[in-house]
Amino acid sequence: MAFVKVLKNKAYFKRFQVKNRRRREGKTDFRARRKMVRQDKNKFNSRKYRLIVRFTNRKCICQIAYATIRGDMIIAQANSSELTKYGIPCGHKNYAAAYCTGLLVARRVLKQFGLDEKFKGKEELDGEDYHVEDEETEQRPFKCILDVGLQSTTVGHRMWGALKGAVDGGLHIPHTNKKFPGYKPAEDKGEAEYDAEAHKEKIFATHLKEYMEMLQEEDPTKYEAHFSKFIENDIDADKLEDLYTEAHSKIREDPDHEAAEKKGITHERSAEKLTSSDGTEHVRFVKLTLEQRRAKVASKIAAAQAKMMEED
């Protein structure tokens, strides 16, 4: 047998350092995070804000945060489940809902800092490029950078809807239109094209409207299954554009978050039983001390020995 050199020997494992927990879990790209969080030394303790956009299976989440040595501090957040308040009861994870959520978090954070009157954003939605920093104002706009996490930054992704909503809401977020729906790169030394109308159609869910109409004609059974929540709330394809237009105006009028009402339920505990004031009961095991665990094991051993003695 040929000589095989052992590379991962004792010296290797003595020096091995495990990665960060969120890297091991595959949740954070720390190389990208360091670039976003790093601050110049001459700007010591100046907050560097990020617009964090994430999607779950049910909703879109947008947060404005800044990093400290203790972790990220969230100053404002909005998620698309709040859109029910603004007249959108379902469809909370499509492009149009992402736009509304970005608009909501932008208006909310500007109102929080008292900048909502100075920076109105873009009130006429036509899909065209808009940069609030280009406007001549005495005060600089609220600046943050986009944090998309581990999502692939493909053309037309829903995250660009949240970005566009936040920009139209009055935030200064450095970006280009190269990833927006409707952008076509240059071919054969030509010029790149950006179709603002195509982007506007995505913002007002025209693509969803066309799909609903097609499905309703070709496969009514599938339509009823896929759009059951829309049918339940009496929303058809023709109502979508008006639905989102009204939501945009309502968000601008009142972007404040409404805290959920406290139920006022109290809990009483006796040993392992938890009794709530609403009549429900739960079993919550009490953590035993070391002496109690040892006594428990000793009693089990004694019981087993006694049983064996009886059998003999």
Side-chain angles (χ1 to χ4, degrees):
M1 183 177 175
F3 175 73
V4 179
K5 185 180 179 182
V6 179
L7 295 175
K8 293 189 176 180
N9 50 19
K10 186 177 180 181
Y12 169 84
F13 286 108
K14 282 176 73 174
R15 288 162 177 77
F16 182 77
Q17 185 175 1
V18 296
K19 301 290 183 184
N20 294 335
R21 177 179 58 82
R22 288 184 64 87
R23 171 63 189 87
R24 298 198 305 271
E25 293 172 353
K27 291 181 178 179
T28 300
D29 180 357
F30 280 95
R31 185 165 176 242
R33 179 181 168 82
R34 276 193 298 271
K35 286 183 179 179
M36 287 186 288
V37 166
R38 188 180 292 124
Q39 184 66 288
D40 298 332
K41 285 190 175 181
N42 62 349
K43 298 176 185 174
F44 175 73
N45 217 22
S46 296
R47 295 174 179 178
K48 197 171 183 181
Y49 295 103
R50 309 193 322 274
L51 170 66
I52 302 168
V53 180
R54 298 290 186 272
F55 289 90
T56 71
N57 288 339
R58 291 179 179 269
K59 60 188 175 182
C60 167
I61 302 167
C62 294
Q63 298 174 334
I64 305 290
Y66 65 93
T68 67
I69 199 165
R70 290 186 295 141
D72 284 357
M73 300 294 162
I74 310 298
I75 59 168
Q77 78 92 27
N79 64 69
S80 56
S81 59
E82 294 180 57
L83 299 179
T84 305
K85 171 187 169 184
Y86 302 102
I88 305 174
C90 52
H92 289 159
K93 59 176 185 176
N94 56 36
Y95 195 95
Y99 179 90
C100 291
T101 311
L103 180 65
L104 178 59
V105 75
R107 299 312 301 167
R108 186 171 287 173
V109 74
L110 289 176
K111 188 170 183 179
Q112 186 174 325
F113 285 110
L115 300 172
D116 54 328
E117 294 299 325
K118 293 181 181 178
F119 300 101
K120 297 280 188 182
K122 189 172 187 179
E123 296 179 330
E124 184 186 350
L125 304 182
D126 53 8
E128 292 286 351
D129 265 347
Y130 175 74
H131 297 271
V132 70
E133 65 273 18
D134 293 341
E135 296 182 358
E136 294 182 5
T137 54
E138 294 179 0
Q139 192 171 359
R140 286 183 297 177
F142 184 92
K143 182 180 178 180
C144 53
I145 54 178
L146 181 66
D147 181 346
V148 298
L150 300 177
Q151 300 170 93
S152 299
T153 54
T154 52
V155 176
H157 197 289
R158 292 171 296 173
M159 71 177 82
W160 309 125
L163 167 66
K164 181 63 174 166
V167 168
D168 287 353
L171 296 186
H172 172 202
I173 305 174
H175 70 282
T176 65
N177 59 13
K178 290 184 178 180
K179 297 288 186 177
F180 286 166
Y183 179 82
K184 294 180 181 178
E187 294 181 3
D188 299 329
K189 298 182 180 179
E191 290 186 1
E193 295 178 4
Y194 172 60
D195 186 1
E197 191 63 31
H199 196 179
K200 181 185 175 183
E201 289 177 356
K202 293 279 279 187
I203 290 170
F204 287 99
T206 308
H207 62 295
L208 184 61
K209 174 186 174 183
E210 291 172 356
Y211 181 63
M212 287 175 76
E213 289 173 346
M214 181 271 292
L215 212 59
Q216 200 168 8
E217 288 179 9
E218 296 182 5
D219 195 346
T221 308
K222 191 176 180 181
Y223 170 77
E224 289 173 6
H226 279 213
F227 295 99
S228 57
K229 290 291 182 184
F230 286 79
I231 296 167
E232 187 181 318
N233 290 282
D234 194 28
I235 300 171
D236 57 19
D238 296 328
K239 294 181 181 178
L240 282 178
E241 188 170 344
D242 294 335
L243 189 77
Y244 287 107
T245 305
E246 288 175 16
H248 296 158
S249 59
K250 287 178 182 177
I251 287 169
R252 288 182 177 276
E253 286 172 14
D254 180 24
D256 293 330
H257 173 67
E258 288 184 1
E261 293 183 6
K262 291 186 177 180
K263 296 179 180 179
I265 298 173
T266 56
H267 307 280
E268 292 183 3
R269 183 165 195 161
S270 61
E272 295 179 350
K273 195 173 183 181
L274 193 72
T275 308
S276 303
S277 58
D278 61 348
T280 56
E281 293 183 354
H282 306 280
V283 176
R284 295 288 182 268
F285 293 107
V286 179
K287 188 176 180 181
L288 302 177
T289 62
L290 179 62
E291 290 76 13
Q292 288 172 329
R293 292 200 303 273
R294 283 176 175 169
K296 190 177 178 181
V297 171
S299 64
K300 284 184 179 180
I301 293 170
Q305 288 174 343
K307 188 177 179 181
M308 289 172 64
M309 292 293 291
E310 290 175 3
E311 289 176 357
D312 293 342

